[in-house]
Amino acid sequence: QITGMTPNTGRAGDAIVITGTNFGNTVLVRLNGAPAQIQSATRQGGVVTINCTVPQGAATGMVTVETGGTTANAGTFTVL
């Protein structure tokens, strides 16, 4: 379950922070289908914080987190 995503607008290379719970040990973040590079992922007290970057060539669309065979929507990200 995703509990937050900040910011929701930015440019390629900008940082996005996603928080949530019940993520597996392996996660994949996508922005409108394009894989985002994960810089770090930490777990503290059951809450996972993922720091990633907006991929080059990304277009405005849904940010998704894939883990354990499921996909959760973090919300729409607007590429400037």
Side-chain angles (χ1 to χ4, degrees):
Q1 176 182 6
I2 294 173
T3 56
M5 177 182 74
T6 56
N8 60 7
T9 62
R11 301 183 193 290
D14 286 355
I16 302 173
V17 178
I18 301 168
T19 55
T21 58
N22 299 321
F23 292 158
N25 291 330
T26 303
V27 296
L28 175 63
V29 177
R30 294 183 189 272
L31 171 51
N32 199 24
Q37 183 175 4
I38 296 176
Q39 304 299 324
S40 66
T42 57
R43 184 185 312 266
Q44 184 173 13
V47 176
V48 176
T49 301
I50 302 168
N51 293 286
C52 57
T53 55
V54 177
Q56 294 295 324
T60 295
M62 186 63 62
V63 174
T64 59
V65 177
E66 301 171 23
T67 182
T70 62
T71 301
N73 293 331
T76 300
F77 187 90
T78 302
V79 178
L80 302 174

